Amino acid sequence: MTLWNPSVYLEFGSERLRPALDLMAQVPLETPKRIVDLGCGPGNVTALLQQRWPKAEVLGIDSSNEMLAQAKENHPEITWQQGDIAQWESSEPVDLIFSNACLHWLGDHESLFPRLLENLCDGGVLAVQMPNNFAAPTHQVIGDVLGHDHVLCPGFPVQEPEDYYNWLSDRTSRLEIWETRYRHILEGENPVADWTKGAALRPVLEGLNTQAEKEAFETAYRAKILEAYPKARDGKTLLAFQRFFLVAQK
Ligand SMILES: C[S@@+](CC[C@H](N)C(=O)[O-])C[C@H]1O[C@@H](n2cnc3c(N)ncnc32)[C@H](O)[C@@H]1O
């Protein structure tokens, strides 16, 4: 299982927060009683869910102890639970299942998404955001360096919007699907490589066997990423980032 480092992940906290807020803005619920944040990470989005619906019981679930430790430290008032979403079932029906930037780490969405809906009460909402940027240089350069058939190359975990529609439309009263292509404006010498280090590169760096292999990979990756994302005139870097959104109401 991929080890997560909360401080590396939070380095681009405000850019990573924006899609979560865009998703939250589309949740059509006034007073949900029970909210679950699946793959809550360091808990900053979970805390915003609690802020938006202060009377709700909010539960943050994540498989990473490191992430949960950070979440607990920053927000002791919220309930946190360690668990694997692939096995997760709620003990009672939930009004809102929220999941930001997490479900692309799990496979078999054709089973996963309908199964998540089963945990909702009638009228409950499943709200999901996932990066859908796997054809971009951030991911493709991993294959350019390792070889595209290398076992550590990321696949394309997010399926076509039509697939999600077909899996969910006959189980929902309302279904919204959209995509947004953000342009994150990043500062630093090689900020896109720093960004991926907090997410897509983690399984790759963990999967390489020796320190020398890790260092050689990172050096080559960083050089190619600098070429793929040239700096703007003011020295900042624009990172184009496509994300997939889904709001399904039971
Ligand atoms: C990119 S972070 C997103 C964190 C948070 N939702 C946010 O918006 O900042 C992805 C999180 O998903 C968690 N995760 C990945 N696979 C998981 C699984 N199978 N079960 C539970 N959590 C998982 C990771 O531990 C990590 O904290």
Side-chain angles (χ1 to χ4, degrees), residues 57-79:
E57 228 173 73
V58 178
L59 170 66
I61 296 181
D62 204 283
S63 51
S64 156
N65 286 323
E66 291 77 10
M67 286 292 199
L68 287 174
Q70 174 93 60
K72 275 181 201 160
E73 191 182 323
N74 291 345
H75 303 285
E77 73 286 2
I78 294 177
T79 310

Side-chain angles (χ1 to χ4, degrees), residues 181-209:
R181 195 158 194 246
Y182 295 87
R183 297 277 173 166
H184 298 301
I185 298 172
L186 307 180
E187 289 184 41
E189 179 46 33
N190 195 346
V192 177
D194 296 338
W195 171 292
T196 44
K197 193 164 184 175
L201 285 200
R202 299 205 61 75
V204 180
L205 290 171
E206 274 168 42
L208 291 171
N209 291 324

Side-chain angles (χ1 to χ4, degrees), residues 4 9 39-41 44-45 62-64 67 83-85 100-102 105-106:
W4 286 83
Y9 179 69
C40 60
N44 42 341
V45 172
D62 204 283
S63 51
S64 156
M67 286 292 199
D84 179 1
I85 297 162
N100 184 58
C102 173
W105 292 102
L106 285 93

Side-chain angles (χ1 to χ4, degrees), residues 1-5 9-10 13 16-17 19-20 37-46 61-68 81-88 98-107 129 131 198-199 243:
M1 182 163 290
T2 304
L3 278 178
W4 286 83
N5 181 330
Y9 179 69
L10 286 171
R16 288 192 153 122
L17 205 54
D37 185 10
L38 288 182
C40 60
N44 42 341
V45 172
T46 327
I61 296 181
D62 204 283
S63 51
S64 156
N65 286 323
E66 291 77 10
M67 286 292 199
L68 287 174
Q81 200 178 84
Q82 209 245 349
D84 179 1
I85 297 162
Q87 318 294 330
W88 177 75
F98 193 89
S99 185
N100 184 58
C102 173
L103 296 184
H104 60 295
W105 292 102
L106 285 93
Q129 183 278 121
R243 293 176 183 272

